[in-house]
Amino acid sequence: MSFAYRVTHRTEYGYERNVSESYGQLHLLPRELPGQRLRTGAVTIDPAPEIYRERVDFFGNRTGFFAIHEPHLALTVTATSTVDVDDRTEGLSLFGHRPWEEVRDQIEQRTAAERIEAVQFTLDSPLVKASDELREYASTAFTPGRPLLEAVASLSSQIYADFEYKPGSTSVNTPLAKVFEQRQGVCQDFAHLGIACLRSLGLPARYVSGYLETDPPPGADKLQGADGSHAWLSVLVPEAGWLDVDPTNDQFVNGRYVVTAHGRDYRDVPPLNGVIYTGGKTKSLQVKVDVVAEPSG
């Protein structure tokens, strides 16, 4: 089964006084992936940049860079795309019922190139550190001999039950240890937590940034601007691929998810980041995201 979406991501900055120059990098347009096909995708920036170029980064993500060299009091970056997405849950059977320890050990049996790709996602990254404490926390789900698919689902449910989703309780700079201690955070934190647990067990895990079509309250119309950027995680299963799970909503990723970027953690793939020169600080910041279903095909 396939789904189609139109995604609009608008970021608006307002400054205290004129900024003479702005430089930014963005990961806002969906990737081309098995099970995900980009129909159209474009970025508009106001004021118009003197330089805008795109490249494919180390992780295969579509990355944009822009530079504005004229004074400006405001900056708006809008990414608009249409994308087709398959229901990824239809392929869960491919991940089989192999014990998780067997999956972990199979990494060593892959070709040199495949091992290099896998190993980079088992190591610590700037925002995700493995630890004995997190390995112990994950051991409740990853009992000896338990099938990987079942263990990953159990870990997701464990995080969902133990941690409160509370916007504003953390920032991008909140250490994972603090999130674990206070037992609350947002999707980015829960993705980092799941990744750290898996890496503490020796399993390759990566951070996924994108969007999720959200449901309106019962009996209400869908609210424009009610959607937002989302984050979840993937674990690598040799011969099957990457298994995606969303601990924030306690479910395997399905046809309502749109992927923009993969990385070791959030720091590799922020939707938009940059610097400003010679001017006032940011006075206001608004981010509006719409994920609207469209006819497929």
Side-chain angles (χ1 to χ4, degrees):
M1 186 175 182
S2 182
F3 304 84
Y5 301 104
R6 180 177 178 82
V7 182
T8 304
H9 186 138
R10 183 188 302 274
T11 306
E12 301 175 347
Y13 295 92
Y15 304 114
E16 292 178 342
R17 56 182 183 271
N18 268 335
V19 169
S20 64
E21 296 178 89
S22 292
Y23 300 86
Q25 179 173 272
L26 54 89
H27 298 90
L28 292 174
L29 295 175
R31 289 184 55 145
E32 286 280 352
L33 296 167
Q36 179 172 293
R37 298 163 296 281
L38 183 64
R39 293 193 207 172
T40 63
V43 175
T44 58
I45 301 171
D46 183 24
E50 281 76 13
I51 299 171
Y52 179 78
R53 59 174 178 262
E54 291 190 359
R55 66 183 179 89
V56 176
D57 70 11
F58 176 80
F59 300 103
N61 304 309
R62 184 175 175 179
T63 307
F65 169 82
F66 65 87
I68 300 171
H69 300 305
E70 66 176 73
H72 51 285
L73 273 172
L75 169 65
T76 301
V77 180
T78 304
T80 305
S81 57
T82 53
V83 60
D84 294 309
V85 180
D86 296 338
D87 184 357
R88 299 173 180 86
T89 58
E90 295 176 354
L92 287 179
S93 60
L94 295 174
F95 296 96
H97 299 284
R98 283 175 285 177
W100 69 267
E101 301 97 330
E102 179 182 314
V103 173
R104 177 198 61 199
D105 296 342
Q106 280 186 323
I107 300 300
E108 293 300 320
Q109 301 170 18
R110 309 191 86 192
T111 67
E114 291 172 329
R115 280 202 307 275
I116 290 173
E117 179 190 11
V119 167
Q120 67 181 327
F121 294 108
T122 64
L123 304 175
D124 288 347
S125 56
L127 300 178
V128 177
K129 310 293 184 185
S131 69
D132 292 340
E133 184 178 35
L134 290 175
R135 182 169 60 250
E136 181 179 353
Y137 178 77
S139 67
T140 301
F142 283 78
T143 53
R146 193 173 194 182
L148 178 75
L149 192 66
E150 186 179 309
V152 169
S154 180
L155 177 62
S156 173
S157 297
Q158 188 175 330
I159 293 172
Y160 182 78
D162 292 347
F163 290 79
E164 177 188 4
Y165 180 81
K166 190 174 181 180
S169 61
T170 59
S171 72
V172 295
N173 297 314
T174 302
L176 186 57
K178 180 67 174 179
V179 174
F180 190 72
E181 176 187 350
Q182 68 184 19
R183 299 294 169 118
Q184 59 187 18
V186 293
C187 58
Q188 168 192 302
D189 303 306
F190 303 155
H192 284 160
L193 176 61
I195 292 167
C197 287
L198 292 167
R199 291 180 186 170
S200 296
L201 295 166
L203 290 163
R206 69 185 181 187
Y207 183 92
V208 188
S209 179
Y211 306 103
L212 168 62
E213 184 203 22
T214 54
D215 291 327
D221 293 331
K222 181 180 177 66
L223 299 175
Q224 297 298 303
D227 299 289
S229 297
H230 195 50
W232 58 96
L233 63 102
S234 300
V235 56
L236 181 61
V237 183
E239 301 174 3
W242 289 91
L243 173 63
D244 286 37
V245 63
D246 176 11
T248 302
N249 294 289
D250 191 21
Q251 62 185 13
F252 287 109
V253 168
N254 53 40
R256 294 169 56 207
Y257 291 74
V258 176
V259 176
T260 55
H262 302 141
R264 296 167 301 165
D265 58 39
Y266 172 86
R267 191 165 293 178
D268 286 332
V269 291
L272 181 62
N273 65 327
V275 294
I276 59 175
Y277 287 103
T278 57
K281 297 180 180 179
T282 299
K283 180 179 179 181
S284 63
L285 170 60
Q286 288 189 328
V287 180
K288 298 179 181 179
V289 176
D290 290 315
V291 181
V292 180
E294 292 201 332
S296 60

